[in-house]
Coordinates of all heavy atoms in Angstrom, one line a residue:
M28 N -15.5 -1.0 -27.0 CA -14.4 -1.9 -26.6 C -15.0 -3.3 -26.3 O -15.9 -3.4 -25.5 CB -13.8 -1.3 -25.2 CG -12.8 -0.3 -25.4 SD -12.1 0.1 -23.8 CE -12.8 1.7 -23.5
N29 N -14.5 -4.2 -26.9 CA -14.8 -5.6 -26.7 C -14.1 -6.0 -25.4 O -13.0 -5.6 -25.1 CB -14.2 -6.4 -27.8 CG -15.5 -7.1 -28.6 OD1 -16.5 -7.4 -28.0 ND2 -15.2 -7.4 -29.8
K30 N -14.8 -6.9 -24.6 CA -14.2 -7.3 -23.4 C -12.7 -7.8 -23.6 O -11.9 -7.5 -22.8 CB -15.1 -8.5 -22.8 CG -15.7 -8.2 -21.5 CD -16.4 -9.4 -20.9 CE -17.1 -8.9 -19.7 NZ -17.8 -10.0 -19.0
K31 N -12.5 -8.6 -24.5 CA -11.2 -9.2 -24.8 C -10.2 -8.1 -25.2 O -9.0 -8.4 -25.3 CB -11.2 -10.4 -25.8 CG -11.8 -10.0 -27.1 CD -12.0 -11.1 -28.0 CE -12.7 -10.7 -29.3 NZ -13.1 -11.8 -30.1
D32 N -10.6 -6.9 -25.6 CA -9.7 -5.9 -26.0 C -9.3 -4.9 -25.0 O -8.6 -3.9 -25.4 CB -10.4 -5.2 -27.3 CG -10.5 -6.1 -28.5 OD1 -9.7 -7.2 -28.5 OD2 -11.4 -5.8 -29.3
Y33 N -9.8 -5.0 -23.8 CA -9.5 -3.9 -22.8 C -8.0 -3.7 -22.6 O -7.4 -2.6 -22.5 CB -10.2 -4.3 -21.5 CG -11.7 -4.0 -21.5 CD1 -12.4 -5.1 -21.0 CD2 -12.2 -2.9 -22.1 CE1 -13.8 -5.0 -21.1 CE2 -13.6 -2.8 -22.3 CZ -14.5 -3.8 -21.7 OH -15.8 -3.7 -21.7
E34 N -7.2 -4.7 -22.5 CA -5.8 -4.7 -22.3 C -5.1 -4.0 -23.5 O -4.3 -3.1 -23.3 CB -5.2 -6.0 -22.0 CG -5.5 -6.5 -20.6 CD -5.0 -7.9 -20.3 OE1 -3.9 -8.4 -21.0 OE2 -5.5 -8.6 -19.4
A35 N -5.5 -4.4 -24.6 CA -5.0 -3.8 -25.9 C -5.4 -2.3 -25.9 O -4.5 -1.5 -26.2 CB -5.4 -4.5 -27.1
A36 N -6.6 -2.0 -25.5 CA -7.0 -0.6 -25.6 C -6.2 0.2 -24.5 O -5.8 1.3 -24.9 CB -8.6 -0.5 -25.2
D37 N -6.0 -0.3 -23.4 CA -5.2 0.3 -22.4 C -3.8 0.6 -22.9 O -3.3 1.7 -22.7 CB -5.2 -0.4 -21.1 CG -4.6 0.4 -20.0 OD1 -5.1 1.5 -19.7 OD2 -3.6 -0.1 -19.4
R38 N -3.2 -0.3 -23.6 CA -1.8 -0.1 -24.1 C -1.8 1.0 -25.2 O -0.9 1.9 -25.2 CB -1.3 -1.4 -24.7 CG -0.7 -2.4 -23.7 CD 0.0 -3.5 -24.4 NE -0.7 -4.2 -25.4 CZ -1.6 -5.2 -25.2 NH1 -1.8 -5.7 -24.0 NH2 -2.2 -5.8 -26.3
L39 N -2.9 1.0 -26.1 CA -2.9 2.0 -27.1 C -3.2 3.4 -26.4 O -2.6 4.4 -26.9 CB -4.0 1.7 -28.1 CG -3.8 0.5 -28.9 CD1 -5.1 0.1 -29.7 CD2 -2.7 0.8 -29.9
V40 N -4.1 3.4 -25.5 CA -4.3 4.7 -24.8 C -3.0 5.2 -24.1 O -2.8 6.4 -24.1 CB -5.5 4.6 -23.8 CG1 -5.6 5.8 -22.9 CG2 -6.8 4.3 -24.6
A41 N -2.2 4.3 -23.4 CA -1.1 4.7 -22.8 C -0.1 5.4 -23.8 O 0.6 6.3 -23.5 CB -0.4 3.5 -22.1
E42 N 0.0 4.8 -25.0 CA 0.8 5.4 -26.0 C 0.3 6.8 -26.4 O 1.1 7.8 -26.6 CB 0.9 4.5 -27.3 CG 1.7 3.2 -27.0 CD 1.6 2.3 -28.3 OE1 1.5 2.8 -29.4 OE2 1.7 1.1 -28.1
A43 N -1.0 6.9 -26.5 CA -1.6 8.2 -26.9 C -1.2 9.2 -25.8 O -0.9 10.4 -26.1 CB -3.1 8.1 -27.2
I44 N -1.4 8.8 -24.6 CA -1.1 9.7 -23.4 C 0.3 10.1 -23.3 O 0.6 11.3 -23.0 CB -1.6 9.1 -22.1 CG1 -3.1 9.0 -22.1 CG2 -1.1 9.9 -20.9 CD1 -3.7 8.2 -20.9
K45 N 1.2 9.2 -23.8 CA 2.6 9.6 -23.8 C 2.9 10.8 -24.8 O 3.6 11.7 -24.5 CB 3.5 8.3 -24.3 CG 4.7 8.1 -23.6 CD 5.4 6.9 -24.2 CE 5.8 6.0 -23.1 NZ 6.5 4.8 -23.7
Q46 N 2.2 10.7 -25.9 CA 2.4 11.8 -27.0 C 1.6 13.0 -26.6 O 2.0 14.1 -27.0 CB 2.0 11.2 -28.3 CG 3.0 10.2 -28.9 CD 2.6 9.7 -30.3 OE1 1.5 10.0 -30.7 NE2 3.5 9.0 -30.8
Y47 N 0.3 12.8 -26.0 CA -0.6 13.9 -25.7 C -1.0 13.7 -24.3 O -2.1 13.4 -24.0 CB -1.8 13.9 -26.7 CG -1.3 13.9 -28.2 CD1 -1.3 12.6 -28.9 CD2 -1.0 15.0 -28.8 CE1 -1.0 12.6 -30.2 CE2 -0.7 15.0 -30.1 CZ -0.7 13.8 -30.8 OH -0.3 13.8 -32.1
P48 N -0.2 14.2 -23.3 CA -0.5 13.9 -22.0 C -1.8 14.6 -21.4 O -2.3 14.3 -20.4 CB 0.8 14.4 -21.3 CG 1.5 15.2 -22.2 CD 1.1 14.8 -23.5
N49 N -2.2 15.7 -22.1 CA -3.4 16.4 -21.7 C -4.6 16.1 -22.5 O -5.6 16.9 -22.5 CB -3.1 17.8 -21.7 CG -2.0 18.2 -20.7 OD1 -1.9 17.7 -19.6 ND2 -1.2 19.2 -21.1
H50 N -4.6 15.0 -23.2 CA -5.8 14.6 -24.0 C -6.9 14.0 -23.1 O -6.7 12.9 -22.7 CB -5.3 13.6 -25.1 CG -6.3 13.5 -26.3 ND1 -7.5 12.8 -26.1 CD2 -6.3 13.9 -27.4 CE1 -8.1 12.8 -27.2 NE2 -7.4 13.6 -28.0
V51 N -7.9 14.8 -22.9 CA -9.0 14.3 -22.0 C -9.6 13.0 -22.4 O -9.8 12.1 -21.5 CB -10.1 15.4 -21.8 CG1 -11.2 14.9 -21.0 CG2 -9.5 16.6 -21.4
L52 N -9.9 12.8 -23.6 CA -10.6 11.5 -24.1 C -9.6 10.3 -23.9 O -10.1 9.3 -23.5 CB -10.9 11.7 -25.5 CG -11.7 10.5 -26.1 CD1 -13.0 10.2 -25.3 CD2 -12.1 10.7 -27.5
A53 N -8.3 10.5 -24.0 CA -7.4 9.3 -23.8 C -7.5 8.9 -22.3 O -7.6 7.7 -22.1 CB -6.1 9.8 -24.2
H54 N -7.5 9.8 -21.4 CA -7.6 9.5 -20.0 C -8.9 8.9 -19.7 O -9.1 8.0 -18.8 CB -7.3 10.8 -19.2 CG -5.9 11.2 -19.2 ND1 -4.9 10.6 -18.4 CD2 -5.3 12.2 -19.9 CE1 -3.7 11.2 -18.7 NE2 -4.0 12.1 -19.5
Y55 N -10.0 9.5 -20.3 CA -11.3 8.9 -20.1 C -11.4 7.5 -20.5 O -12.0 6.6 -19.8 CB -12.4 9.8 -20.8 CG -13.8 9.3 -20.5 CD1 -14.4 9.6 -19.3 CD2 -14.5 8.5 -21.5 CE1 -15.6 9.2 -19.0 CE2 -15.8 8.1 -21.2 CZ -16.4 8.4 -20.0 OH -17.7 8.0 -19.7
L56 N -10.9 7.2 -21.7 CA -10.9 5.8 -22.2 C -10.1 4.9 -21.4 O -10.5 3.8 -21.1 CB -10.4 5.7 -23.7 CG -11.3 6.4 -24.7 CD1 -10.7 6.5 -26.1 CD2 -12.7 5.8 -24.8
R57 N -9.0 5.4 -20.9 CA -8.2 4.6 -19.9 C -9.0 4.3 -18.7 O -9.0 3.1 -18.2 CB -6.9 5.3 -19.6 CG -6.1 4.5 -18.5 CD -4.8 5.2 -18.3 NE -3.8 4.3 -18.9 CZ -2.5 4.5 -18.9 NH1 -2.0 5.6 -18.3 NH2 -1.7 3.7 -19.5
G58 N -9.7 5.2 -18.2 CA -10.6 5.0 -17.0 C -11.7 4.0 -17.3 O -12.0 3.1 -16.5
Q59 N -12.3 4.1 -18.4 CA -13.4 3.2 -18.8 C -12.8 1.7 -19.0 O -13.5 0.8 -18.5 CB -14.0 3.6 -20.1 CG -14.9 4.8 -20.0 CD -16.1 4.7 -19.1 OE1 -16.8 3.6 -19.1 NE2 -16.2 5.6 -18.2
A60 N -11.6 1.6 -19.6 CA -11.1 0.3 -19.6 C -10.7 -0.4 -18.2 O -11.0 -1.5 -18.0 CB -9.8 0.3 -20.5
A61 N -10.3 0.5 -17.4 CA -10.0 0.1 -16.0 C -11.3 -0.3 -15.2 O -11.4 -1.3 -14.6 CB -9.3 1.2 -15.2
L62 N -12.4 0.6 -15.4 CA -13.7 0.1 -14.8 C -14.1 -1.2 -15.3 O -14.6 -2.0 -14.5 CB -14.7 1.2 -15.2 CG -14.8 2.5 -14.4 CD1 -16.0 3.4 -14.8 CD2 -15.0 2.2 -12.8
A63 N -14.0 -1.4 -16.6 CA -14.5 -2.7 -17.2 C -13.7 -3.9 -16.6 O -14.3 -5.0 -16.6 CB -14.4 -2.6 -18.7
Q64 N -12.5 -3.6 -16.2 CA -11.7 -4.7 -15.7 C -11.7 -4.8 -14.1 O -10.9 -5.5 -13.6 CB -10.2 -4.6 -16.2 CG -10.1 -4.7 -17.7 CD -8.7 -4.4 -18.1 OE1 -7.8 -5.3 -18.1 NE2 -8.5 -3.2 -18.6
S65 N -12.5 -4.0 -13.5 CA -12.6 -3.9 -12.0 C -11.2 -3.4 -11.5 O -10.9 -3.8 -10.3 CB -13.0 -5.1 -11.4 OG -14.3 -5.5 -11.9
R66 N -10.4 -2.6 -12.2 CA -9.2 -2.1 -11.7 C -9.5 -0.7 -11.1 O -9.2 0.4 -11.8 CB -8.2 -2.1 -12.8 CG -7.8 -3.4 -13.3 CD -6.6 -3.5 -14.3 NE -6.8 -2.6 -15.4 CZ -6.0 -1.5 -15.7 NH1 -4.9 -1.2 -14.9 NH2 -6.2 -0.7 -16.7
W67 N -10.0 -0.7 -10.0 CA -10.6 0.5 -9.4 C -9.6 1.6 -9.2 O -9.9 2.8 -9.4 CB -11.4 0.1 -8.0 CG -12.3 -1.0 -8.2 CD1 -12.2 -2.2 -7.5 CD2 -13.3 -1.1 -9.2 NE1 -13.3 -3.0 -7.9 CE2 -14.0 -2.4 -9.0 CE3 -13.9 -0.3 -10.2 CZ2 -15.0 -2.9 -9.7 CZ3 -15.0 -0.8 -10.9 CH2 -15.6 -2.0 -10.7
D68 N -8.4 1.3 -8.6 CA -7.4 2.3 -8.4 C -6.9 3.0 -9.7 O -6.8 4.2 -9.7 CB -6.1 1.7 -7.7 CG -6.3 1.4 -6.2 OD1 -7.0 2.3 -5.5 OD2 -5.9 0.4 -5.8
A69 N -6.7 2.2 -10.8 CA -6.4 2.8 -12.0 C -7.5 3.6 -12.6 O -7.3 4.7 -13.2 CB -6.0 1.6 -13.0
A70 N -8.7 3.2 -12.3 CA -9.9 4.0 -12.8 C -9.9 5.3 -12.1 O -10.2 6.4 -12.7 CB -11.2 3.2 -12.6
V71 N -9.7 5.3 -10.7 CA -9.7 6.6 -10.0 C -8.6 7.4 -10.5 O -8.9 8.7 -10.7 CB -9.5 6.2 -8.5 CG1 -9.2 7.5 -7.7 CG2 -10.8 5.7 -7.8
A72 N -7.5 6.9 -10.8 CA -6.4 7.8 -11.2 C -6.7 8.5 -12.6 O -6.5 9.6 -12.8 CB -5.1 7.0 -11.3
A73 N -7.3 7.6 -13.5 CA -7.6 8.1 -14.8 C -8.7 9.2 -14.8 O -8.6 10.2 -15.4 CB -8.1 6.9 -15.7
F74 N -9.8 8.9 -13.9 CA -10.9 9.8 -14.0 C -10.5 11.1 -13.1 O -11.0 12.2 -13.3 CB -12.1 9.2 -13.4 CG -12.7 8.2 -14.4 CD1 -12.9 6.9 -13.9 CD2 -13.0 8.5 -15.7 CE1 -13.3 5.9 -14.8 CE2 -13.5 7.6 -16.5 CZ -13.6 6.3 -16.2
T75 N -9.6 11.0 -12.2 CA -9.1 12.2 -11.5 C -8.4 13.0 -12.5 O -8.6 14.3 -12.5 CB -8.2 11.7 -10.3 OG1 -9.0 11.0 -9.3 CG2 -7.5 12.9 -9.6
R76 N -7.6 12.5 -13.3 CA -6.9 13.3 -14.3 C -7.9 13.9 -15.3 O -7.8 15.0 -15.7 CB -6.0 12.4 -15.1 CG -5.1 13.1 -16.0 CD -4.1 14.0 -15.3 NE -3.3 14.8 -16.3 CZ -3.1 16.1 -16.2 NH1 -3.5 16.8 -15.3 NH2 -2.3 16.7 -17.2
V77 N -9.0 13.2 -15.7 CA -10.0 13.7 -16.6 C -10.6 14.9 -15.9 O -10.7 16.0 -16.6 CB -11.1 12.7 -16.9 CG1 -12.3 13.3 -17.4 CG2 -10.6 11.6 -17.7
T78 N -11.0 14.9 -14.7 CA -11.6 16.0 -13.9 C -10.6 17.1 -13.7 O -11.1 18.3 -13.6 CB -12.3 15.6 -12.6 OG1 -11.3 15.0 -11.8 CG2 -13.4 14.5 -12.9
E79 N -9.4 16.9 -13.6 CA -8.4 17.9 -13.5 C -8.3 18.7 -14.8 O -8.3 19.9 -14.9 CB -7.0 17.4 -13.2 CG -6.9 16.9 -11.8 CD -5.6 16.1 -11.5 OE1 -4.9 15.8 -12.5 OE2 -5.4 15.8 -10.3
L80 N -8.3 17.9 -15.9 CA -8.1 18.6 -17.3 C -9.4 19.2 -17.8 O -9.4 20.2 -18.5 CB -7.7 17.4 -18.3 CG -6.3 16.9 -18.1 CD1 -6.1 15.7 -19.1 CD2 -5.3 18.0 -18.4
Y81 N -10.5 18.6 -17.4 CA -11.8 19.2 -17.7 C -12.8 19.2 -16.5 O -13.5 18.2 -16.4 CB -12.3 18.3 -18.9 CG -13.7 18.7 -19.5 CD1 -14.1 20.1 -19.4 CD2 -14.5 17.7 -20.0 CE1 -15.4 20.4 -20.0 CE2 -15.8 18.1 -20.5 CZ -16.2 19.4 -20.5 OH -17.4 19.8 -21.0
P82 N -12.7 20.2 -15.7 CA -13.5 20.3 -14.5 C -15.0 20.2 -14.8 O -15.8 20.0 -13.9 CB -13.1 21.6 -13.9 CG -11.8 21.9 -14.5 CD -11.8 21.4 -15.8
G83 N -15.4 20.4 -16.0 CA -16.9 20.3 -16.3 C -17.3 19.0 -16.8 O -18.4 18.8 -17.3
S84 N -16.5 18.0 -16.7 CA -16.8 16.6 -17.2 C -17.7 15.9 -16.3 O -17.4 15.3 -15.3 CB -15.6 15.8 -17.3 OG -15.8 14.5 -17.8
I85 N -19.1 15.9 -16.7 CA -20.0 15.2 -15.9 C -19.8 13.8 -15.9 O -19.9 13.1 -14.9 CB -21.4 15.5 -16.5 CG1 -21.8 17.0 -16.3 CG2 -22.5 14.7 -15.9 CD1 -23.0 17.6 -17.1
A86 N -19.4 13.2 -17.0 CA -19.2 11.8 -17.1 C -17.9 11.4 -16.3 O -17.9 10.3 -15.6 CB -19.0 11.3 -18.6
G87 N -16.9 12.3 -16.2 CA -15.7 12.0 -15.5 C -16.0 12.0 -14.0 O -15.5 11.0 -13.4
F88 N -16.7 12.9 -13.5 CA -17.1 12.9 -12.1 C -18.0 11.7 -11.7 O -17.8 11.1 -10.7 CB -17.7 14.2 -11.7 CG -16.7 15.3 -11.4 CD1 -16.6 16.3 -12.3 CD2 -15.9 15.3 -10.3 CE1 -15.7 17.3 -12.2 CE2 -14.9 16.2 -10.2 CZ -14.9 17.3 -11.1
K89 N -18.8 11.3 -12.6 CA -19.8 10.2 -12.4 C -18.9 8.9 -12.3 O -19.0 8.1 -11.3 CB -20.8 10.0 -13.5 CG -21.7 8.8 -13.3 CD -22.6 8.6 -14.4 CE -23.4 7.3 -14.3 NZ -24.2 7.0 -15.4
S90 N -18.1 8.7 -13.2 CA -17.2 7.5 -13.2 C -16.2 7.5 -12.0 O -15.9 6.5 -11.5 CB -16.4 7.4 -14.6 OG -17.4 7.2 -15.6
L91 N -15.7 8.7 -11.8 CA -14.8 8.8 -10.5 C -15.6 8.4 -9.3 O -15.0 7.7 -8.4 CB -14.3 10.3 -10.4 CG -13.4 10.5 -9.1 CD1 -12.2 9.6 -9.2 CD2 -13.1 12.0 -9.2
G92 N -16.9 8.7 -9.2 CA -17.7 8.3 -8.1 C -17.9 6.9 -8.0 O -17.7 6.3 -6.9
I93 N -18.1 6.2 -9.1 CA -18.3 4.8 -9.3 C -17.1 4.1 -8.7 O -17.1 3.2 -7.9 CB -18.7 4.4 -10.7 CG1 -20.1 4.9 -10.9 CG2 -18.6 2.9 -10.9 CD1 -20.5 4.8 -12.4
A94 N -15.9 4.4 -9.3 CA -14.7 3.8 -8.9 C -14.3 4.0 -7.5 O -13.9 3.1 -6.8 CB -13.5 4.3 -9.8
S95 N -14.6 5.2 -6.9 CA -14.3 5.5 -5.5 C -15.2 4.7 -4.6 O -14.7 4.2 -3.6 CB -14.5 7.0 -5.3 OG -13.6 7.8 -6.0
E96 N -16.5 4.5 -5.0 CA -17.4 3.7 -4.2 C -16.9 2.2 -4.2 O -16.9 1.6 -3.2 CB -18.8 3.7 -4.9 CG -19.7 4.6 -4.3 CD -21.2 4.4 -4.8 OE1 -21.4 4.7 -6.0 OE2 -22.0 3.8 -4.1
E97 N -16.5 1.8 -5.3 CA -16.0 0.4 -5.3 C -14.8 0.1 -4.4 O -14.6 -1.0 -4.0 CB -15.6 -0.1 -6.8 CG -16.8 -0.3 -7.7 CD -17.7 -1.4 -7.3 OE1 -17.3 -2.3 -6.7 OE2 -18.8 -1.4 -7.8
L98 N -14.0 1.2 -4.2 CA -12.9 1.1 -3.3 C -13.3 1.4 -1.8 O -12.4 1.4 -1.0 CB -11.7 2.1 -3.7 CG -11.1 1.7 -5.0 CD1 -10.1 2.9 -5.4 CD2 -10.2 0.5 -4.8
G99 N -14.5 1.7 -1.7 CA -15.0 1.9 -0.3 C -14.7 3.3 0.2 O -14.8 3.7 1.4
R100 N -14.3 4.2 -0.7 CA -14.0 5.7 -0.4 C -15.3 6.4 -0.6 O -15.4 7.2 -1.6 CB -12.9 6.1 -1.4 CG -11.7 5.4 -1.2 CD -10.6 5.9 -2.2 NE -9.4 5.0 -2.2 CZ -8.5 5.0 -3.2 NH1 -8.6 5.9 -4.2 NH2 -7.5 4.3 -3.1
T101 N -16.2 6.4 0.4 CA -17.5 6.9 0.2 C -17.4 8.4 0.3 O -18.3 9.1 -0.4 CB -18.4 6.4 1.4 OG1 -17.8 6.6 2.7 CG2 -18.7 4.9 1.2
D102 N -16.5 9.0 1.0 CA -16.4 10.5 1.1 C -16.0 11.0 -0.3 O -16.5 12.0 -0.8 CB -15.4 11.0 2.1 CG -15.9 10.7 3.5 OD1 -17.2 10.5 3.7 OD2 -15.2 10.9 4.5
D103 N -15.0 10.3 -0.9 CA -14.5 10.8 -2.3 C -15.6 10.6 -3.3 O -15.8 11.4 -4.1 CB -13.3 9.9 -2.6 CG -12.1 10.2 -1.8 OD1 -12.0 11.3 -1.1 OD2 -11.1 9.4 -1.8
A104 N -16.4 9.5 -3.2 CA -17.4 9.2 -4.1 C -18.5 10.3 -4.0 O -19.0 10.8 -4.9 CB -18.0 7.8 -3.8
A105 N -18.8 10.6 -2.7 CA -19.9 11.6 -2.5 C -19.5 13.0 -3.1 O -20.3 13.7 -3.7 CB -20.2 11.8 -1.0
R106 N -18.2 13.3 -2.9 CA -17.7 14.6 -3.4 C -17.8 14.6 -5.0 O -18.2 15.6 -5.6 CB -16.3 14.9 -3.1 CG -16.2 15.6 -1.8 CD -14.7 16.1 -1.5 NE -13.8 15.0 -1.4 CZ -13.5 14.3 -0.3 NH1 -14.3 14.5 0.8 NH2 -12.6 13.2 -0.2
A107 N -17.4 13.5 -5.6 CA -17.5 13.3 -7.0 C -18.9 13.5 -7.6 O -19.2 14.3 -8.5 CB -16.9 12.0 -7.5
Y108 N -19.8 12.7 -6.9 CA -21.3 12.8 -7.2 C -21.9 14.3 -7.0 O -22.6 14.7 -7.9 CB -22.1 11.8 -6.5 CG -21.8 10.4 -6.9 CD1 -21.7 9.4 -5.9 CD2 -21.6 9.9 -8.2 CE1 -21.5 8.1 -6.2 CE2 -21.3 8.7 -8.6 CZ -21.3 7.7 -7.6 OH -21.0 6.4 -7.9
E109 N -21.4 14.9 -6.0 CA -21.9 16.2 -5.7 C -21.4 17.2 -6.8 O -22.2 18.0 -7.2 CB -21.5 16.7 -4.3 CG -21.9 18.1 -3.9 CD -23.4 18.3 -3.9 OE1 -24.2 17.3 -3.6 OE2 -23.9 19.4 -4.2
T110 N -20.2 17.1 -7.1 CA -19.6 18.0 -8.2 C -20.4 17.7 -9.5 O -20.7 18.6 -10.2 CB -18.1 17.7 -8.4 OG1 -17.5 17.9 -7.1 CG2 -17.6 18.6 -9.5
R111 N -20.7 16.5 -9.8 CA -21.4 16.1 -11.0 C -22.8 16.7 -11.0 O -23.3 17.3 -11.9 CB -21.6 14.6 -11.2 CG -22.4 14.2 -12.3 CD -22.8 12.7 -12.2 NE -23.6 12.3 -13.4 CZ -24.9 12.4 -13.4 NH1 -25.6 12.9 -12.4 NH2 -25.6 12.1 -14.5
A112 N -23.5 16.6 -9.8 CA -24.8 17.2 -9.7 C -24.8 18.7 -9.8 O -25.7 19.3 -10.5 CB -25.3 16.8 -8.3
Q113 N -23.7 19.3 -9.3 CA -23.7 20.9 -9.5 C -23.4 21.2 -10.9 O -23.9 22.3 -11.4 CB -22.6 21.3 -8.6 CG -22.8 21.4 -7.1 CD -21.7 21.7 -6.3 OE1 -20.6 22.0 -6.7 NE2 -21.9 21.6 -5.0
A114 N -22.8 20.4 -11.6 CA -22.5 20.7 -13.0 C -23.8 20.5 -13.9 O -23.8 21.0 -15.0 CB -21.4 19.8 -13.6
E115 N -24.6 19.7 -13.5 CA -25.8 19.4 -14.1 C -27.0 19.5 -13.3 O -27.7 18.5 -12.9 CB -25.7 17.8 -14.7 CG -26.7 17.4 -15.7 CD -26.5 16.0 -16.1 OE1 -26.1 15.1 -15.3 OE2 -26.8 15.8 -17.4
P116 N -27.4 20.7 -12.9 CA -28.4 20.9 -11.8 C -29.9 20.4 -12.2 O -30.7 20.2 -11.4 CB -28.4 22.4 -11.5 CG -27.8 22.9 -12.8 CD -26.8 21.9 -13.4
D117 N -30.1 20.3 -13.6 CA -31.5 20.1 -13.9 C -31.8 18.5 -14.0 O -32.9 18.2 -14.3 CB -31.7 20.6 -15.3 CG -31.8 22.1 -15.3 OD1 -32.0 22.7 -14.2 OD2 -31.5 22.7 -16.3
R118 N -30.9 17.7 -13.5 CA -31.1 16.3 -13.5 C -31.3 15.6 -12.2 O -31.0 16.0 -11.2 CB -30.0 15.5 -14.2 CG -30.1 15.6 -15.7 CD -29.2 14.7 -16.4 NE -29.9 14.3 -17.6 CZ -29.4 13.4 -18.4 NH1 -28.2 12.9 -18.2 NH2 -30.0 13.1 -19.4

């Protein structure tokens, strides 16, 4: 994603989610676009959906932790990071 393309990417992903509401990658890309634009609430919402759809998503929990931290939600961030660590114990 090019910096100048985040808004367009978000619009395209929104269309994809409309057609395929359980498409994990679409929600993940929406979250990445939101992170890149410092839209922390939108990122939390997207990554929360990612982790609901795919509870084993290491990247989803990591990104959820990052967005939660940015909002000052340290307890939520800690839970996300802990879940990520449990999913990937060798790291």
